[in-house]
Amino acid sequence: MTVQSPLGANELADEYFIETRNRILEIGAFLDRLDRADPSRSARDFRLRALTEALGVLAAAEPNYVSQIQMLLSDPTTEPLPALDRKSAIGAYDHGAQDR
Amino acid sequence: MKYIDHHAHMVSRTTDDYAQMALTGCLAVTEPAFWAGWDRSSAQGFEDYFRQLTEFEPKRAAAVGMQHYCWLAMNPKESDDRELSREVLKRIPKFLDRPTVLGIGEIGMNRITRNEVDTYTEQVELAIAHQQLILIHTPHLEDKLKGTRVSVDVLGRYPKLDPARVMVDHAEEHTIEMILADGYWAGLTLYPQTKVSPQRAADMIEKYGPDRICVAGACDWGPSDPLAVPRFAMEMRRRKLPDDLIHRVIYENPVRFLSQSGKFKVARHKLHHEEVKM
């Protein structure tokens, strides 16, 4: 069972465009900030690589953007860790860690 | 507007927060046992915490006309400590008959270690043995998918466990389908950054419908908002979604789930009154 939003596409764009515009500018500003600090960092840090991949999802124009981004940020494994390594999550899964 | 916040860590909030929640229509909160932000040093510390949840917080809530219920458990963040977990689990049963204890929660995993899985499994068995409702915490951020998969997999090993008596909380876009597909309730928790925004929660209601979905603020000692549920209601109104749908998600659904404990009485009475009027 789904719920049909009473708002059409034009109304949704009218309602949400400005706040979404602000969010994409914030992403651009964050990447500029990183570049000013260290232009090569985005290539070395798995969290920032994940952000770049997420931007690729948005650019691909295929549906279910948010689920696709959630999946690329997530640990895809199911085997429990043998021991506690740290207390907190980081926000992105280091997919390259399995190969190192 | 009236609502129930099924997940609110009120021990971390001020009396003013209780008042604000009451002013915005909150009739009851349920508070899962959780991590204090640092590890407790002994099982006795947990016992004191359980007394706070069952004796002190209901009085604070009652001062502003709200009901306070709770869930007891060894929380996921400390559950890797097996020795401490065993001691805490031994102390839980004597609290279960208290009038505001609704079930076992929030149980689950943090980093999904073998020890965490073992403690979680023992707590599922504890809930089954004592016919308790279950509230499950699913892990944060990149660990949520794995933690939800493992949590649901463990539940599946207990065929006598009624999925309608289990809420898998902190669901997000990539986990909600597996939760609902197996017959569990899904909780959406509204956090400024690390969980779900009111907008995304409303999106999931539109996509999956209101059946077996509840929305909570999960306010605690970190960046969080005790008024998150009314902000979600505002978002639903912003989209011109009908008031009866909003009422169902923020009031009727939590009442239906929580009333299965047999102790959630006042809210159940109010729901009954409404159904009679309809």
Side-chain angles (χ1 to χ4, degrees), chain B residues 49-56 58 70 72 95 98 100-101:
Chain B
Y49 175 47
F50 296 159
R51 287 181 47 238
Q52 183 181 14
L53 290 175
T54 56
E55 297 172 12
F56 187 57
C70 69
L72 302 181
F95 288 94
R98 292 195 172 190
T100 56
V101 179

Side-chain angles (χ1 to χ4, degrees), chain B residues 4 25 54 77 82 107 145 149 162 184 210 234 248 267-268:
Chain B
I4 310 292
T54 56
K77 286 270 193 182
R82 292 288 292 138
I107 61 172
L145 177 68
R149 283 172 166 166
D162 180 0
Y184 305 111
M234 284 177 61
R248 179 170 176 188
R268 182 172 55 186

